[in-house]
Amino acid sequence: MKRLIFLLFLLLPLMAVAQEPDSAQLVMDSLRRELQELRLKEIIMQHALDSTGQSAREDSLRLVRRKMHIDSLKSITPGVPVIVEKDTLFILYASLGGEGPVHRAEDITYKILQLGKSLRTTTDTLTVFDSELTSDVMSGQFVLVPVSDLDGLWAGMSRQELAHVYMGIIDKKIKKMQAEYGLQAKLRGMTWAAALIVLQIVFFVLTARFTGWMRKEIMDGLRGRMKPLVVKGYELLNVRQSKRILLFLTRALQVILVLIQLFISLPLLFSIFPETEKFTWNMINYVWEPLRDMVVSFIHYFPKLVKIGVIIFVVRWMLKGIKHLSDEIEAGRLKIDSFYQDWAQPTYHIIRIFIIAFTLIVVWPLLPGSDSGIFKGVSIFVAALFSLGSTASIGNLISGIIITYMRPFIVGDFVQIGEREGTVIEKNAFVTRLRDIKENIITVPNNSILSLPTVNYTAGVRNAGGTIVHSDFTFTYKVHREQIEPLLLEAAGRCRLILKTPPPFVLVTQLEDFYTRYQINAYTTESQRLFEVYSELHKNILDVFKENDLEPTSSHFVKLS
């Protein structure tokens, strides 16, 4: 009793620091177990004293008191379960031979597993051997569970009775394990495994023969029935390309069939033996869990998917309506004041871009993962790359839009942009392409067109009925004006590409120190052939001057003696 009181005094301060580090908790648990064991020993000693001749009534009272003591200890003492393959057999509370209940439970579990998984056709019958201090559950000469009087008190029965209870539980568990892990079970499992492997090999061979037969049929052109794939007169795939695609699909089919067979056979093979059964569920989970997550995610996402579908449907028909209007305006069937026909398609594309951008803004929050950090980070990264890499492109795009609505020229006009001359053959959002008199294609960025002077020769023909070609010549003051002007008009009148109405005319553009500068002007509608017009005009002027024995004083003309 003195030792009991001393331990109580030690226990009280330790209980006050129950929330301290783990080491204090371990010490407190150890002291609590020792206190419980001392109290149990006190009960046993008291029981021994009672058996020396006390009355039956006092014995019954003491038994009740012992049971009350045990019940009070159970309410505050967590036992240690003996668990074998996720099956709790019984619970230990008391220490034995210096070993705590934790070590006892581990030792008993190990022994039961060793006996239950042994490769033997028969197992020794379990017996209970009573010694002076313990009752041992034994398998042959092998002690499985030693049971003490303390264990019996915790269970509310004698140690002999408790040992027989443990023996029945362990015997049932060992027989169950022997049915799963024993030699007969192993032989039966190996037989099933061999049959499954043979069956899988047969399926592999059948799959290889089937795909080989398909490849042979494809190489033979499916017995002459294979034809080129033609869509609206365009040969999308010839026979050779179709064969290559079909051969690739055949190989992919063979791989898929083999993977399906392995996915079925490997789990079955692993499930035959209890030791590898857990791999079966792991393999199934590797495929099932992603599929399940995909299905669950799709079910949760389906309402948003319906919203996206409705939005895209409405936008698609809206764009079709706008496209129809733009086609009508471009064809001239629908006229709008101050809106040119060549504006129809560019305007449609601009409106289309804005509608698609607005649709993307509306749909973006509905996309799966749009609110995740990774999705936002990738979006910012792509936007930064687009901004840094498309500065010049954006400038050309904006310039192309401005040029479209400024209408300095249209496709087919003969223009001069800076020092470049040619016929406009293409005008898109980024560049304008010209074809010069040498049939060269000149590509001019739209951004540079706004900064260069542009001359449209065809606009004069289209708006004023013709454009004026001109050429300058100089003569000394000794040659009278009345002599020069008729000759220039006669030379212009000889040109086939120059209009007779309005008639050509001559201007005196400058009076120099030693000569007079004359300019012949004439109308033509051949803006696409200006180089021919000028060439013909110059030839005729030279011919007329030679016929009348006149020579211009220009430095480009030198009289040969």
Side-chain angles (χ1 to χ4, degrees), residues 370-551:
S370 60
D371 55 346
S372 65
I374 296 177
F375 197 92
K376 295 176 181 177
V378 172
S379 303
I380 295 173
F381 178 72
V382 172
L385 288 180
F386 181 79
S387 300
L388 295 175
S390 61
T391 303
S393 300
I394 296 299
N396 286 323
L397 177 62
I398 295 174
S399 299
I401 295 173
I402 295 173
I403 291 171
T404 298
Y405 290 97
M406 285 176 55
R407 301 185 80 244
F409 50 78
I410 60 176
V411 175
D413 288 356
F414 188 84
V415 299
Q416 179 181 357
I417 301 175
E419 297 180 355
R420 307 175 185 89
E421 286 185 343
T423 302
V424 180
I425 60 173
E426 181 184 354
K427 184 178 67 173
N428 58 39
F430 297 97
V431 297
T432 297
R433 289 187 173 86
L434 309 178
R435 180 185 287 112
D436 64 6
I437 61 174
K438 304 297 185 182
E439 297 297 326
N440 298 317
I441 304 299
I442 303 172
T443 300
V444 184
N446 288 336
N447 200 16
S448 64
I449 294 177
L450 293 180
S451 60
L452 295 173
T454 301
V455 180
N456 191 337
Y457 297 104
T458 307
V461 177
R462 185 169 51 248
N463 299 328
T467 185
I468 296 177
V469 294
H470 62 88
S471 187
D472 293 343
F473 293 89
T474 59
F475 289 89
T476 63
Y477 288 106
K478 294 180 180 181
V479 182
H480 295 289
R481 180 179 63 81
E482 292 83 359
Q483 185 180 2
I484 299 299
E485 290 183 0
L487 295 178
L488 292 175
L489 293 174
E490 180 184 353
R494 294 182 182 181
C495 295
R496 297 176 295 102
L497 302 179
I498 287 179
L499 298 177
K500 302 299 187 280
T501 303
F505 59 92
V506 178
L507 298 177
V508 178
T509 59
Q510 195 171 357
L511 299 176
E512 304 289 347
D513 292 338
F514 302 102
Y515 50 81
T516 305
R517 182 178 297 277
Y518 298 92
Q519 185 182 84
I520 178 65
N521 295 269
Y523 291 90
T524 182
T525 57
E526 300 295 334
S527 60
Q528 307 288 341
R529 303 166 64 187
L530 287 180
F531 62 96
E532 296 182 31
V533 175
Y534 274 105
S535 177
E536 186 181 20
L537 177 62
H538 292 157
K539 289 178 181 178
N540 291 335
I541 291 174
L542 290 175
D543 293 341
V544 171
F545 285 166
K546 186 176 181 180
E547 292 171 2
N548 291 274
D549 196 23
L550 289 176
E551 181 181 352

Side-chain angles (χ1 to χ4, degrees), residues 57 79 87 129 132 149 155 163 188 224 228 237 273 384 395-396 419 494 511 527 529 542:
R57 185 178 61 84
D87 187 10
F129 176 76
E132 183 178 354
D149 292 326
R188 184 171 57 252
L237 292 174
F273 302 99
N396 286 323
E419 297 180 355
R494 294 182 182 181
L511 299 176
S527 60
R529 303 166 64 187
L542 290 175

